[in-house]
Amino acid sequence: MPRTETDSSEHSPGPDAPSADVTSGPSQVMPGVHVLVKPIGPVCNLACEYCYYLHKDQLYPDERSWRMSDDTLRLFIKQYIDCQPPAVPEIEFAWQGGEPTLLGIDFFQRVVDLQKQLAPPDRRCRNAIQTNGVLLDDAWCEFLRDHGFLVGLSIDGPADLHDRYRHDKEGRPTFDRVLAGLRCLQKHGVPCNALTVVNRHNGSHPRRVYRLLKEVGFEFIQFIPIVEPAAQPASGQNDPDTLVSDRSVRPRQFGMFLIEVFEEWLRNDVGRIFVQTFDQALSGWVGVGPTLCEFTPRCGRALLLEHNGDLYSCDHFASPDYRLGNIHETPLSALASCPQQIQFGRDKEDKLPAACRKCCVRFVCNGGCPKNRIAVTANGEAGLNYLCEGYRLFFEHIDPVMRAMAQEVRNGRPASNVTQRLHAPRGQAAPHGGHVGRNDPCPCGSGKKYKHCCGRAQ
């Protein structure tokens, strides 16, 4: 959940679109790794219906204590610091659950103390924690502020949308308690990102969701599409009603969700609100390429550590087949660079369907997350991302704007200039680009004349 503040940029979808250099195999010296830590395993105080991790208690059916031991905590922090390239001045730790605040402040005070003991004097440790927010109070927020934690808060929009699937173990709604936690974070000046799951219910209300997040004060937003494979999916079909659960967002629905939010963001919030998917897209158009593993050509450098020291290939692949080993038996650096994990990362690209390899938005999509590759292509080839239709719809829609923003960035100017041109009064010079005439093409990229598009409000 690190905050995402990617520089804006451009490249048009097409054969000359930028791509990462993936022709050479992994070197002997692997780059730093990112590990998402589950110090309390799947234990949580809520019972959100779409949570994919609650049932992970089945990984350890005889477990009696889910609290990470001090020995495991110390060993992980030491090995994780040692894994990072020497040139990296800040080492980012990410803590998740379950619900990590159930461990109490004392646990995370121990985290901070160990980081100070074990990190070299020229390196700083930073922490991010993902929480449902219901246990946050003044003591928690003072601790998080004093130790520089970044908080990712789970919130799915207004109360009626949020509470549809996010309730406690007694079935009671949680929105008011989450909002109280947010207000406490804000009172104490704790930086906080919104983690918003997009499902079939709130996915039909993009502007309500986005506006609520803005109204309550979020500046950094991550939209996370829920894709739950059906218990018995129909083989060889792409029908959302048979391939996934009825909570899962539909592909086109998700694409339209992103488009609706993008349009509002473009007109009102560029440079003020940061949406992770938009930042990542902009990186693709600029030519530097996305950095989020979902959109990179290969993955495998973002792993999962369970409470007992077991290391898994990925947060979304916490199963026996993807268990790499235990850090008490094999160092983290060796597990993260083992042949199994290297192949896991390569498979993201190597198993990309032929249709995806030819796709005009591959440079920014790269087939999406492997966990969602449960659909088939028009030719019947397996491995198509379930959300393909939605992502392609979105990326093609934003192409003209991204080109314009990328050009601004290449010229050393802020991408927000594109928005300023949209709002420039008729006849008034727009920043670094001349005024927009009524009969000129609208700079938003719609293909319409300015007077029939964004100029209608002038």
Side-chain angles (χ1 to χ4, degrees):
M1 292 162 323
R3 174 174 295 168
T4 55
E5 300 180 59
T6 314
D7 289 339
S8 21
S9 27
E10 173 250 274
H11 223 286
S12 60
D16 57 347
S19 60
D21 180 9
V22 293
T23 57
S24 59
S27 63
Q28 292 296 94
V29 180
M30 297 296 289
V33 299
H34 180 75
V35 176
L36 183 62
V37 191
K38 305 270 191 179
I40 197 170
V43 178
C44 190
N45 52 343
L46 300 187
C48 302
E49 292 183 34
Y50 55 62
C51 181
Y52 68 95
Y53 214 79
L54 286 178
H55 71 280
K56 294 298 181 179
D57 57 356
Q58 298 170 10
L59 290 171
Y60 308 101
D62 299 322
E63 188 62 88
R64 294 186 178 181
S65 175
W66 292 94
R67 183 186 182 92
M68 180 175 281
S69 71
D70 194 71
D71 287 345
T72 301
L73 181 63
R74 172 184 282 274
L75 186 64
F76 164 67
I77 291 175
K78 176 67 167 64
Q79 293 187 8
Y80 188 62
I81 291 172
D82 291 344
C83 270
Q84 308 308 321
V88 176
E90 292 189 337
I91 301 170
E92 297 186 350
F93 289 77
W95 310 91
Q96 197 194 49
E99 175 49 46
T101 59
L102 288 170
L103 291 165
I105 294 175
D106 289 347
F107 179 87
F108 287 97
Q109 181 63 62
R110 180 61 174 159
V111 166
V112 173
D113 291 342
L114 285 171
Q115 290 171 341
K116 290 179 179 178
Q117 291 176 25
L118 299 171
D122 60 340
R123 308 183 84 180
R124 176 189 174 197
C125 294
R126 297 180 58 191
N127 292 282
I129 185 171
Q130 180 174 333
T131 176
N132 57 45
V134 302
L135 296 180
L136 295 177
D137 56 16
D138 286 332
W140 258 114
C141 293
E142 288 171 3
F143 170 82
L144 295 170
R145 177 200 62 206
D146 292 346
H147 295 287
F149 274 68
L150 170 65
V151 175
L153 187 67
S154 297
I155 180 169
D156 289 355
D160 61 308
L161 302 180
H162 173 94
D163 289 331
R164 177 65 174 261
Y165 297 124
R166 298 192 64 84
H167 45 74
D168 63 21
K169 295 184 183 298
E170 287 72 45
R172 297 173 299 190
T174 61
F175 179 82
D176 289 342
R177 284 176 278 173
V178 173
L179 193 58
L182 173 62
R183 294 308 184 206
C184 194
L185 290 167
Q186 292 170 334
K187 180 176 73 172
H188 291 280
V190 180
C192 185
N193 294 355
L195 306 177
T196 301
V197 168
V198 182
N199 52 66
R200 197 168 299 186
H201 184 57
N202 69 357
S204 296
H205 306 278
R207 293 183 187 266
R208 286 189 62 209
V209 171
Y210 180 62
R211 288 170 182 171
L212 181 281
L213 298 177
K214 288 198 300 180
E215 288 168 4
V216 299
F218 286 108
E219 295 179 357
F220 298 87
I221 300 170
Q222 297 181 31
F223 291 120
I224 307 162
I226 181 69
V227 179
E228 299 174 318
Q232 294 181 324
S235 178
Q237 295 186 21
N238 288 345
D239 183 358
D241 293 324
T242 59
L243 195 61
V244 297
S245 72
D246 59 7
R247 289 187 293 263
S248 300
V249 66
R250 289 185 168 95
R252 185 175 182 84
Q253 180 187 29
F254 184 59
M256 292 306 300
F257 180 97
L258 292 176
I259 287 172
E260 288 288 317
V261 173
F262 181 83
E263 288 300 318
E264 178 146 335
W265 171 81
L266 177 64
R267 284 165 174 75
N268 303 306
D269 303 315
V270 175
R272 192 171 64 86
I273 303 293
F274 300 87
V275 179
Q276 185 186 56
T277 305
F278 304 166
D279 286 353
Q280 290 294 307
L282 212 39
S283 291
W285 263 269
V286 168
V288 298
T291 57
L292 188 67
C293 60
E294 178 180 2
F295 300 125
T296 55
R298 293 181 178 179
C299 58
R301 305 307 291 168
L303 301 95
L304 167 70
L305 187 80
E306 257 293 349
H307 68 293
N308 64 348
D310 282 350
L311 191 70
Y312 293 87
S313 291
C314 172
D315 181 31
H316 295 288
F317 289 84
S319 66
D321 289 344
Y322 294 94
R323 179 183 178 274
L324 302 174
N326 189 288
I327 62 171
H328 286 280
E329 301 166 357
T330 308
L332 174 61
S333 58
L335 293 175
S337 301
C338 71
Q340 178 183 346
Q341 186 63 7
I342 291 174
Q343 190 59 53
F344 175 83
R346 285 176 168 175
D347 282 348
K348 184 174 192 278
E349 181 186 24
D350 294 348
K351 295 184 177 181
L352 202 61
C356 295
R357 297 179 184 277
K358 301 173 184 177
C359 180
C360 64
V361 297
R362 177 187 172 185
F363 76 98
V364 70
C365 171
N366 286 302
C369 181
K371 79 179 179 67
N372 295 333
R373 294 183 180 181
I374 58 176
V376 296
T377 68
N379 294 329
E381 186 179 1
L384 181 69
N385 195 300
Y386 165 80
L387 295 170
C388 172
E389 178 188 3
Y391 272 130
R392 181 161 182 164
L393 187 72
F394 169 67
F395 289 134
E396 290 181 344
H397 177 85
I398 67 174
D399 172 46
V401 175
M402 287 294 160
R403 293 191 201 190
M405 286 186 169
Q407 189 60 45
E408 292 298 310
V409 172
R410 289 197 187 99
N411 290 329
R413 301 191 292 260
S416 57
N417 278 357
V418 173
T419 302
Q420 293 178 40
R421 287 201 292 272
L422 293 178
H423 294 301
R426 190 172 48 212
Q428 176 178 312
H432 305 287
H435 74 274
V436 181
R438 282 175 51 77
N439 291 311
D440 290 339
C442 186
C444 79
S446 66
K448 300 178 182 178
K449 289 185 178 181
Y450 179 63
K451 65 183 180 183
H452 294 313
C453 191
C454 299
R456 287 180 297 178
Q458 303 297 336

